[in-house]
Amino acid sequence: MKVYTKLPESHQDKLLARIELERSVILSRLLKTIQAVLVVTLLAIGCLFLPPEKLTNMSEPFEHLSVLMLGMLSVSIVQELLRGVLMRIISGVRPSLRFAGAYLYAGCEAYFPRREEQILNLLPLFLTTILLVILFLLTGDMSWKWIIWIILIVDICFGIRYAYASMRFSQMPDDILVMNLGPTYLVYSGHADAEQ
């Protein structure tokens, strides 16, 4: 389907849903709970195949912790930069980057069909996860494997919000057009009578 820079007449004044990833207290708490469960689960999985003592007995703790902090800060930024680049490629509209809460978000004033919006949401997460898994597999030192594993956990947890939005889109009519304003999604459909 076509990406629109202006909402077509068939979708005018037909807001189907407004998804607020940051402003909705209930949704924000739900996503943070899912993230917390994921962190505990993935750390437990890490303990099954990585010796836990390698996390506490690092040969170069300052270097390890510096890379860990930099990596944890970078994954969300890299994901959003990739998302912004994809927005520009798919729509031709210049995206904007802004902070909402503690997170950086890429937004674009274009209307994306469901499939394109799901690609925007999930492809950056997929690419960063694949890169981190490759680094994990290529690293021989167990303490460095732990560092990469923790960065991978942060990467996956950051992407949970986008996976949630993509899941919501898959439950909506085929004709939806989505304006991604960063932490807010405006979803329009020719079949919508009023905002849900």
Side-chain angles (χ1 to χ4, degrees):
M1 276 182 78
K2 181 181 173 186
V3 175
Y4 296 88
T5 54
K6 185 179 177 186
L7 197 62
E9 279 187 32
S10 60
H11 290 64
Q12 289 283 341
D13 300 320
K14 293 185 176 178
L15 185 65
L16 177 66
R18 181 184 187 103
I19 302 171
E20 296 275 1
L21 295 177
E22 287 292 322
R23 291 189 186 142
S24 170
V25 175
I26 294 170
L27 178 56
S28 182
R29 285 183 182 163
L30 171 68
L31 294 176
K32 286 177 181 168
T33 302
I34 292 169
Q35 289 170 333
V37 169
L38 256 177
V39 167
V40 171
T41 304
L42 292 173
L43 281 174
I45 290 170
C47 289
L48 293 176
F49 59 87
L50 293 172
E53 64 274 4
K54 290 291 183 180
L55 186 58
T56 54
N57 298 333
M58 296 176 185
S59 56
E60 299 156 354
F62 180 75
E63 188 177 321
H64 282 78
L65 292 175
S66 298
V67 170
L68 177 63
M69 295 307 293
L70 185 63
M72 290 187 339
L73 290 172
S74 298
V75 289
S76 63
I77 294 170
V78 169
Q79 276 191 34
E80 289 307 314
L81 290 175
L82 285 171
R83 193 164 283 109
V85 168
L86 286 171
M87 286 174 178
R88 180 64 183 240
I89 291 170
I90 293 172
S91 70
V93 176
R94 185 177 179 192
S96 61
L97 292 171
R98 65 188 121 172
F99 279 94
Y103 301 109
L104 178 70
Y105 284 96
C108 183
E109 294 191 9
Y111 299 90
F112 296 90
R114 174 173 47 199
R115 184 173 59 91
E116 283 75 1
E117 186 59 42
Q118 288 175 322
I119 289 169
L120 289 174
N121 281 343
L122 300 176
L123 186 58
L125 171 63
F126 177 77
L127 293 174
T128 54
T129 302
I130 290 296
L131 175 66
L132 288 167
V133 167
I134 290 169
L135 283 173
F136 179 85
L137 295 173
L138 292 177
T139 303
D141 185 296
M142 287 298 178
S143 58
W144 281 112
K145 278 190 182 285
W146 262 115
I147 298 300
I148 296 168
W149 185 253
I150 293 170
I151 294 170
L152 179 61
I153 291 171
V154 172
D155 174 65
I156 292 168
C157 287
F158 181 77
I160 287 298
R161 295 169 296 147
Y162 295 108
Y164 168 80
S166 293
M167 181 197 69
R168 286 280 306 271
F169 299 146
S170 66
Q171 299 168 346
M172 295 179 183
D174 291 338
D175 73 333
I176 63 168
L177 293 174
V178 182
M179 179 181 271
N180 182 339
L181 297 173
T184 303
Y185 293 93
L186 302 177
V187 185
Y188 296 87
S189 170
H191 298 100
D193 295 325
E195 183 177 346
Q196 288 183 344

